[in-house]
Amino acid sequence: MDIEGCLLPEFWIAVARDTGIKDLELTTRDVESYDELMRFRIETLRKHGIRMPDIQRILGGVEPLAGAVEFLRWLRERHPVILLSDSYYELLQPFLSALEHPTIFCHHLEVDGDGYVSDYLLRQTDAKRKSIRAMGDLQFGTIAIGDAFNDVPMLQEADHGILYRPSNKVLDAVTEFPVAWDYEQLQSHVTAAAEA
Ligand SMILES: [Mg+2]
C-alpha cells in the first residue's frame, strides 16, 4: 500500500503550507523530471533556511488521514502488509508511532553537517513495481493499493490493484482498477480481492 494520499496527507504540501513557501507545492504534475523536482526542493529548502529538524517538526504536527490508523490496523490483522512509498524514511519518521510501526520500503534523504537536505538516495528505480514483483517471486499473492500515477506500475504488477481516492486526472487515464472512495469501500475491495 502507498502512503501519501492513502494514509497520510502529501508531505511537501504540508511543508509548503506551514512555511508559506509556494515553490514547495510543485509536484511531478508541474515538473516532469523527478530528479529536477527533487533538486529544486532541496535548493528551495536551503534558500529559505529550512533544515531537516524543521521539516520533521512540521510533519510531527500532521495527522494521518481520518480513519487511516484504524484501516491499517484492520489490514495488518488480516494480511502481511508492506507500505511502498516513493517518499523517504527521514520524512516518515514522525509518523511511525501513530501508524503503529508498519514495515515500510522507501528511499533515503541525505542530510549534511548543517542539517540541510543535500541529496536523495533512491533504493532503486521503479521500486514499487519491483517490490511487488519480488513478492510474486516469493510465491505471495499480492494486492496493491495506491492513489496516483506513480502507483500504477505496482497496481499493474500485483494480482489485484485498487485505486484509493484518485484525482480526476488519474481516474480519467487509469480505468482498469476498482476504485474506493473511503476506507469502508477499501475494506470491501480488499476482502473481495483476497477471496478471488
Ligand atoms: Mg500517493
Side-chain angles (χ1 to χ4, degrees), residues 26-32 146-150 152 163-177 179 181:
L26 295 182
T27 68
T28 42
R29 270 168 272 177
D30 310 298
V31 181
E32 211 170 297
D147 69 311
F149 284 113
N150 71 331
V152 172
L163 275 175
Y164 185 64
R165 300 184 66 121
S167 66
N168 286 337
K169 222 168 158 182
V170 171
L171 198 57
D172 287 344
V174 185
T175 55
E176 71 237 65
F177 305 110
V179 180
W181 296 104

Side-chain angles (χ1 to χ4, degrees), residues 122-149:
L122 295 186
R123 176 165 304 281
Q124 59 178 347
T125 56
D126 204 13
K128 293 190 183 207
R129 185 208 298 273
K130 287 175 184 165
S131 297
I132 295 284
R133 188 171 295 165
M135 292 305 124
D137 288 344
L138 292 172
Q139 308 301 314
F140 284 106
T142 48
I143 302 170
I145 304 166
D147 69 311
F149 284 113

